[in-house]
Amino acid sequence: MIMWQSYRIRPILLTVGIPSDMPRYGTPDSPMGDGEGEFEGAGKRVRLLPNKGGEMTQATSSKSGITRRGFLKTTGAAAGIAACAGVAGTGIAVADAFNDSDRAEGGEEIFSVMCRSNCMGSCRWLAHVKDGKVVKLEPGDYPNDGYRGGCLKGASYIERIYSPTRIKQPMRRVSGSERGAGEWEAISWDEAIQDAAEHIKAAMDQYGPKSVVFDCASGQYGYFNGVYGQFTRLAGVMGATKTAVCYDYAAGYGINRVLGTGDWAYCNEPNSVLDSSMVVVWGTNPVFTAPQNWRWIQWAKENGTKVITIDPIKSATAHRSDEWICVRPGYDGYLALAMANYLIENDLQNTEYIMGSSTGPFLVKEDGTQLSTMNWPAEAAATYAATVEAVTAEYGPQGATVLGVALASIPVGYYVWDNATGAPVLADEAVDPALEGSFTTADGVKVTTAYSLLKERLSQYSIAEASRLTGVPEQRITDLATSFATERALSVNITYGLDHYVNGYQNTWAVAVLMALAGQLGRDGAGFTGVFTQTYTPALTTYWFYTPEFKEYNANVPNVRLAEMFETQKLEGADYPTKVLVSYCHNPMSNLTGQNEWINKVLPNMDYWVVLDMEMNDSARYADLVLPVASWYEKEDLRTAYNNPYMTLSEKAIEPLYDTKSDLDIVGMLGRALGYAASFPEETWNNTSYWMALLFSDEISQASGYSEERLRTEKVINFTGQEEGAPWIRGKSAPWPTKSGRVQLYYENVAPRLAYGQDLAARDPEEHIVYFQEPDEVGIDNPLAEKYPLVYLQEHSRFRIHTQWFETPVLRELDPEPQGKVNAIDAEARGVVDGDYIEVFNDRGHAVVKCLIDESIAPGIISIPKGWQRDQFKAGCYQEMTNPKTDKYADSIAPYDTRVDFKKWEGQ
Ligand SMILES: Nc1nc2c(c(=O)[nH]1)N[C@H]1C(S)=C(S)[C@@H](COP(=O)(O)OP(=O)(O)OC[C@H]3O[C@@H](n4cnc5c(=O)[nH]c(N)nc54)[C@H](O)[C@@H]3O)O[C@H]1N2
Ligand SMILES: Nc1nc2c(c(=O)[nH]1)N[C@H]1C(S)=C(S)[C@@H](COP(=O)(O)OP(=O)(O)OC[C@H]3O[C@@H](n4cnc5c(=O)[nH]c(N)nc54)[C@H](O)[C@@H]3O)O[C@H]1N2
Ligand code: SF4
Ligand SMILES: [Mo]
């Protein structure tokens, strides 16, 4: 309770001071994580829409409350669903899962909708609609009611729908006016689409189709109107460029090197932590950023699970944990490797797991490849080569993807050294496999076990140096390492604190290696949690390509390179004319790092910028054409979630307000205007039933009984294929998707996430075995520390999802202006007191914010919660200072790898 009140009533808190002993904050009070406390603490009910008559219901746990949380039993409704599983298309009636309509009051109609932001939640809400207006939003039920919930952002979406500042009609920058000057003319949709089509065609004709860039990120996760692909069809028929998103990719890229789970699919279902004896929350703040996930951790904690948070600041999550381990930013990778080394040096590693479930005993040749039936002995290698040739002959022309899949399906056997025979033997057949050692085969091939190579590498990482770098006492590090070895089931909650550094993927790669050596993977309660995504992806993401007009598009351009591309018209030294930008579900000017790069390199060099949005944020303000999109609840969509196991329907609750249109509608109009009528047929394009039929036409959907009818009736469908309540466990519910089916201690096929001509030849040979690389700026021995002594973090604010909700009144009431949070030591050293305005700066830019002295921020760090728009600052913007570099393997932004300083601001 203290935490939530203190967060809001900051001035009071400051006078009483913040005790730093953990136990005082140790007991969580709210079963909701986010949401509930906000209202309680505020001591009032918040009227969200005074003039529209809508009073918001609190995101309470009254229905799904704490008393029901632990049971995880199927409700009656869920049993109904279970009874219907697998019956789609058979004519058997589907269950009405929830009696949503019972919630209607006085002439209301209830619609099942879903929050579609990039919060790790996608909460289901019930929209109460009266006389064509959304008057109330309340959390909707789930078959497993532990997933029920929401937050004030979700509840206050109603204010965004009816915001007086919502973009109401297409707007064109007045000809001759400066970009960003705010001079607009309202135009009709016909004019707007014609304007966009003319500019796009002109660029295609003069510079080629790739000069037109479609760019989206994470604004909404609906399959029809969101980030998944309707614009990709347009890019594909044009042969244009579709940027690759560079947010949050380092975490998964690093973990993938061990688990083979791709960029996202490395986490167990959130409820899995109920089986954990320890949860280590490592560089993430789920109390703010993933409340649906935090709830399960909290319930686990109440049942005796120990929760430890590793974070440089005493985050909301750290406050609620049993223990907070304060680390210096940027060194988690080193910490994990030192712990891994400690396990081995003290014989604490899980040898059984390493032998049976990891590639530890696999043999690595001197050329860096693993000894396998692909390359040894000669007959096996010849057979493999012949198969590859046959597959290539059959699939070659159909492109790299088909070929890749086909090649991946050729079975490969890996060899271990069998002490029984003194020779390599296939892993599953060895009698007495060696875990360590170097050997020479009868035909003279020299091999070493992967484990031996790893062990040698890890020997460089000492507890003493880890302690020097992270600031954590040696004993605490060795105790934590021992917990990894001895806990019954340990899970690591990880999202993007470790990711947002230039060495991000090395941090998470190291943690995954530690987990593997400890054998804390693939069991109930063991593994990663944090971002539980699709265990199943229907035809969803590819159906947009099913059109005969489809040509190609380049999807390998990192969005972080746009500034350089617009400025130089090159990418990695090769010509790449870049002229027109179409942004949707992305606010690139605000969310891309190093904002002055955008201002100085993109804006002056861009021929034309179209932005599809609801609100006049930084990107829309600087666009040439703004197309107003319908809000989430004015267009139908569906999504398979993060952090819950459901595919969720979001119904259209009301008609699009003003002259707004759905994204689906807009791309259809644009596609036709550009001459691709066959790919954007007027008759079917806006018909979501048409798309759902396609969507559920794949084999898995058919076999699982997923159908439009079921979705429309049940609103949510569990897509894990597991019994309701039984958590999906990576590596247990399905085998590890690595080539060997084992977790990898050696990363054989080194490849960057995106290939766009970058030269990695010098580094490739070093990338097989985990290692640590210093962060780019924040390293403690970095020479920049002298000029810029402070590490600059930008917490993901509780009051926004990135830039969304940036001007929502009820949230601004609680969080009125940009703040810079610092420790009293750093403030005093600069003659700054709480409430002063300060200028935070480095060579890249500056921002003026109100200083908040906050003892939960360690000395040496300043944090400005992210997402404010430029005109919300007295000067500058929080995004001007951030480091725009990325590592070229993961290509993920590194905003926390930034140094700054601050001083008292004397301006007005
Ligand atoms: N300094 C710093 N920068 C960061 C980060 C950081 O930690 N520090 N974090 C980064 C991360 S992790 C991420 S994911 C990115 C997020 O970057 P973005 O994906 O840009 O995030 P948002 O601001 O949520 O949303 C983008 C836009 O989508 C719009 N939108 C919402 N719904 C719809 C819709 O239905 N249709 C259309 N056309 N538009 C819609 C919203 O109004 C908003 O303007 O920011 C990154 N930037
Ligand atoms: N309310 C809210 N929820 C959100 C979002 C939002 O903007 N607002 N954004 C959504 C999105 S797209 C994302 S990517 C996620 C992000 O979710 P999180 O990863 O939870 O978000 P961050 O605020 O980046 O929190 C990371 C935590 O890591 C800590 N940290 C920073 N550097 C280090 C380090 O070097 N080591 C360690 N151990 N810890 C470090 C920070 O102090 C912070 O407490 O949240 C999602 N949910
Ligand atoms: S912002 Fe996140 S927690 Fe809040 S309602 Fe949306 S999905 Fe749920
Ligand atoms: Mo993100």
Side-chain angles (χ1 to χ4, degrees):
M1 186 49 69
I2 294 166
M3 179 57 207
W4 295 123
Q5 287 184 343
S6 61
Y7 191 80
R8 266 183 315 281
I9 313 170
R10 190 64 73 175
I12 296 172
L13 183 78
L14 285 164
T15 44
V16 298
I18 306 174
S20 59
D21 50 326
M22 290 309 302
R24 296 199 50 181
Y25 299 93
T27 314
D29 45 78
S30 155
M32 293 298 297
D34 205 350
E36 185 176 59
E38 291 189 86
F39 300 97
E40 280 181 1
K44 60 179 178 179
R45 281 177 70 102
V46 184
R47 286 189 69 84
L48 284 178
L49 270 181
N51 6 353
K52 302 264 192 297
E55 191 174 32
M56 201 200 72
T57 40
Q58 215 170 291
T60 63
S61 57
S62 58
K63 180 143 197 314
S64 61
I66 198 145
T67 51
R68 296 173 69 188
R69 79 192 185 272
F71 302 109
L72 301 176
K73 287 193 178 134
T74 47
T75 59
I81 289 177
C84 293
V87 299
T90 60
I92 299 174
V94 288
D96 184 349
F98 311 111
N99 294 319
D100 295 336
S101 50
D102 292 356
R103 314 263 183 135
E105 294 163 33
E108 289 173 358
E109 206 179 338
I110 304 284
F111 293 87
S112 182
V113 297
M114 170 191 48
C115 186
R116 301 183 209 157
S117 72
N118 195 19
C119 168
M120 307 285 161
S122 57
C123 300
R124 176 173 182 252
W125 290 85
L126 299 181
H128 293 237
V129 174
K130 193 170 179 184
D131 303 327
K133 282 183 184 156
V134 181
V135 293
K136 188 163 90 173
L137 289 166
E138 67 172 313
D141 290 335
Y142 283 100
N144 181 343
D145 65 3
Y147 286 111
R148 185 176 188 272
C151 75
L152 185 50
K153 296 177 290 300
S156 65
Y157 190 76
I158 219 166
E159 286 198 340
R160 290 178 66 191
I161 300 175
Y162 297 106
S163 168
T165 55
R166 189 168 156 188
I167 307 171
K168 301 183 180 65
Q169 68 275 306
M171 296 201 298
R172 180 165 55 194
R173 175 163 63 93
V174 170
S175 163
S177 73
E178 283 276 306
R179 272 209 180 97
E183 292 180 45
W184 299 99
E185 55 170 332
I187 54 175
S188 70
W189 275 101
D190 283 348
E191 285 174 288
I193 294 297
Q194 197 188 339
D195 201 74
E198 275 171 14
H199 282 90
I200 289 172
K201 267 192 206 141
M204 287 173 79
D205 291 346
Q206 198 175 344
Y207 305 104
K210 287 200 170 54
S211 67
V212 179
V213 180
F214 292 90
D215 181 51
C216 85
S218 74
Q220 87 115 319
Y221 277 84
Y223 282 119
F224 303 137
N225 294 285
V227 304
Y228 286 102
Q230 72 284 20
F231 270 102
T232 319
R233 171 175 288 215
L234 185 53
V237 296
M238 287 167 58
T241 299
K242 164 73 188 69
T243 53
V245 180
C246 296
Y247 301 140
D248 309 327
Y249 275 91
Y253 177 80
I255 292 171
N256 171 65
R257 288 185 166 198
V258 178
L259 304 186
T261 39
D263 297 324
W264 300 107
Y266 49 91
C267 285
N268 296 337
E269 201 180 321
N271 56 352
S272 63
V273 295
L274 295 183
D275 293 319
S276 304
S277 56
M278 179 179 278
V279 174
V280 176
V281 180
W282 203 330
T284 175
N285 185 14
V287 169
F288 283 8
T289 59
Q292 319 71 6
N293 213 324
W294 171 252
R295 287 202 292 272
W296 296 102
I297 298 176
Q298 188 169 281
W299 292 331
K301 182 168 178 282
E302 285 164 17
N303 286 335
T305 301
K306 186 165 183 188
V307 179
I308 296 178
T309 291
I310 306 177
D311 200 304
I313 69 178
K314 193 169 172 186
S315 64
T317 305
H319 277 90
R320 290 181 163 214
S321 302
D322 292 300
E323 201 184 330
W324 168 45
I325 298 180
C326 179
V327 288
R328 271 201 206 92
Y331 285 108
D332 301 79
Y334 195 104
L335 181 66
L337 296 183
M339 289 202 282
N341 187 33
Y342 179 84
L343 294 189
I344 291 178
E345 284 184 345
N346 293 279
D347 204 19
L348 286 166
Q349 78 284 359
N350 186 334
T351 305
E352 191 188 335
Y353 187 82
I354 296 167
M355 279 301 256
S357 302
S358 89
T359 61
F362 285 15
L363 300 172
V364 180
K365 299 198 297 172
E366 285 180 314
D367 66 2
T369 61
Q370 296 179 119
L371 199 69
S372 75
T373 50
M374 282 186 277
N375 55 34
W376 190 89
E379 316 84 78
T383 310
Y384 185 81
T387 320
V388 170
E389 202 176 306
V391 169
T392 312
E394 191 174 343
Y395 295 104
Q398 289 188 29
T401 315
V402 180
L403 184 64
V405 171
L407 292 182
S409 68
I410 302 174
V412 175
Y414 292 89
Y415 295 99
V416 300
W417 193 265
D418 195 350
N419 290 324
T421 53
V425 170
L426 288 172
D428 296 341
E429 296 165 13
V431 176
D432 179 16
L435 183 56
E436 293 187 51
S438 290
F439 314 92
T440 305
T441 66
D443 55 355
V445 180
K446 289 192 175 138
V447 289
T448 303
T449 69
Y451 184 76
S452 283
L453 295 172
L454 175 65
K455 187 173 166 180
E456 191 193 339
R457 172 66 52 86
L458 290 178
S459 67
Q460 304 167 15
Y461 298 95
S462 72
I463 296 291
E465 179 66 358
S467 176
R468 184 184 81 88
L469 296 171
T470 60
V472 182
E474 288 189 27
Q475 183 67 44
R476 187 63 200 93
I477 300 177
T478 55
D479 286 352
L480 183 63
T482 307
S483 297
F484 272 83
T486 55
E487 283 295 330
R488 173 177 52 77
L490 183 148
S491 63
V492 171
N493 188 258
I494 202 162
T495 55
Y496 305 110
L498 273 56
D499 168 289
H500 284 14
Y501 294 84
V502 175
N503 64 359
Y505 82 84
Q506 290 162 330
N507 290 327
T508 58
W509 186 11
V511 175
V513 166
L514 172 65
M515 301 279 279
L517 291 178
Q520 295 288 7
L521 289 167
R523 281 185 289 119
D524 290 339
F528 290 103
T529 59
V531 51
F532 175 69
T533 53
Q534 295 90 329
T535 53
Y536 149 76
T537 308
L540 301 166
T541 41
T542 49
Y543 64 81
W544 301 108
F545 305 150
Y546 299 164
T547 169
E549 287 179 307
F550 190 89
K551 290 191 209 79
E552 55 158 355
Y553 64 91
N554 184 6
N556 274 333
V557 170
N559 64 7
V560 290
R561 304 301 286 272
L562 284 176
E564 170 195 335
M565 290 169 70
F566 274 106
E567 187 191 33
T568 64
Q569 302 291 304
K570 286 179 190 294
L571 177 59
E572 291 291 336
D575 286 344
Y576 206 117
T578 311
K579 299 292 175 185
V580 169
L581 187 65
V582 181
S583 298
Y584 58 101
C585 299
H586 190 195
N587 183 358
M589 170 146 164
S590 186
N591 284 318
L592 280 172
T593 37
Q595 192 174 48
N596 284 323
E597 300 253 307
W598 194 274
I599 294 172
N600 298 327
K601 296 180 177 174
V602 177
L603 295 181
N605 293 305
M606 173 158 55
D607 282 4
Y608 189 68
W609 189 8
V610 186
V611 170
L612 285 76
D613 216 303
M614 258 177 93
E615 285 136 349
M616 266 298 180
N617 55 31
D618 283 346
S619 296
R621 274 172 210 272
Y622 285 84
D624 299 297
L625 180 71
V626 178
L627 301 178
V629 298
S631 79
W632 297 337
Y633 305 150
E634 296 161 1
K635 54 198 178 196
E636 185 177 68
D637 227 309
L638 69 93
R639 167 182 187 179
T640 51
Y642 288 167
N643 284 334
N644 74 45
Y646 305 105
M647 177 193 312
T648 307
L649 177 69
S650 191
E651 294 171 339
K652 178 178 178 179
I654 53 170
E655 287 301 318
L657 290 180
Y658 317 112
D659 202 4
T660 65
K661 290 187 186 292
S662 72
D663 300 70
L664 195 60
D665 201 355
I666 297 170
V667 71
M669 294 192 310
L670 192 54
R672 289 189 292 275
L674 285 165
Y676 306 105
S679 300
F680 300 90
E682 204 149 11
E683 321 77 62
T684 50
W685 184 256
N686 287 339
N687 179 351
T688 47
S689 288
Y690 170 84
W691 294 112
M692 276 196 229
L694 198 52
L695 189 74
F696 294 124
S697 63
D698 68 313
E699 269 176 43
I700 300 178
S701 296
Q702 294 287 312
S704 312
Y706 304 145
S707 67
E708 178 184 1
E709 186 196 6
R710 249 190 95 184
L711 191 62
R712 288 197 186 285
T713 310
E714 297 174 17
K715 318 301 185 200
V716 298
I717 298 177
N718 188 316
F719 59 74
T720 61
Q722 304 266 112
E723 186 192 333
E724 194 64 64
W728 176 276
I729 304 292
R730 301 278 167 197
K732 179 185 173 209
S733 302
W736 295 114
T738 55
K739 190 106 184 155
S740 62
R742 294 170 175 236
V743 302
Q744 304 170 153
L745 299 185
Y746 184 86
Y747 174 63
E748 184 175 23
N749 297 312
V750 175
R753 178 172 76 87
L754 303 166
Y756 49 92
Q758 74 272 48
D759 181 8
L760 293 166
R763 266 178 72 188
D764 272 355
E766 302 304 316
E767 296 291 315
H768 294 299
I769 307 172
V770 68
Y771 70 108
F772 179 76
Q773 181 175 260
E774 281 280 316
D776 185 55
E777 283 190 6
V778 303
I780 60 174
D781 303 320
N782 192 305
L784 204 60
E786 220 166 282
K787 192 170 176 195
Y788 296 117
L790 302 174
V791 174
Y792 173 41
L793 302 179
Q794 313 91 39
E795 94 187 19
H796 285 222
S797 167
R798 190 179 193 205
F799 302 104
R800 288 174 295 286
I801 300 295
H802 305 294
T803 65
Q804 300 204 60
W805 288 276
F806 74 95
E807 57 179 2
T808 302
V810 69
L811 294 162
R812 293 297 64 79
E813 204 181 304
L814 298 165
D815 180 37
E817 65 180 315
Q819 289 177 324
K821 302 187 196 176
V822 294
N823 190 282
I825 294 171
D826 290 319
E828 243 166 61
R830 290 160 182 80
V832 165
V833 298
D834 187 73
D836 279 351
Y837 283 96
I838 54 172
E839 182 180 20
V840 186
F841 61 95
N842 62 15
D843 291 346
R844 285 184 286 267
H846 75 144
V848 172
V849 293
K850 196 170 197 165
C851 178
L852 180 82
I853 295 180
D854 185 339
E855 298 306 317
S856 60
I857 309 289
I861 293 176
I862 180 165
S863 174
I864 304 180
K866 73 161 303 219
W868 298 100
Q869 299 302 281
R870 289 185 66 79
D871 67 352
Q872 294 177 304
F873 290 84
K874 287 192 175 290
C877 177
Y878 85 99
Q879 193 67 288
E880 288 191 7
M881 294 85 81
T882 48
N883 188 347
K885 259 188 223 138
T886 62
D887 183 281
K888 291 182 179 182
Y889 279 98
D891 265 305
S892 192
I893 60 162
Y896 299 167
D897 208 340
T898 300
R899 284 187 170 276
V900 295
D901 200 353
F902 72 91
K903 60 185 178 210
K904 192 166 169 178
W905 189 60
E906 305 295 349
Q908 283 303 306

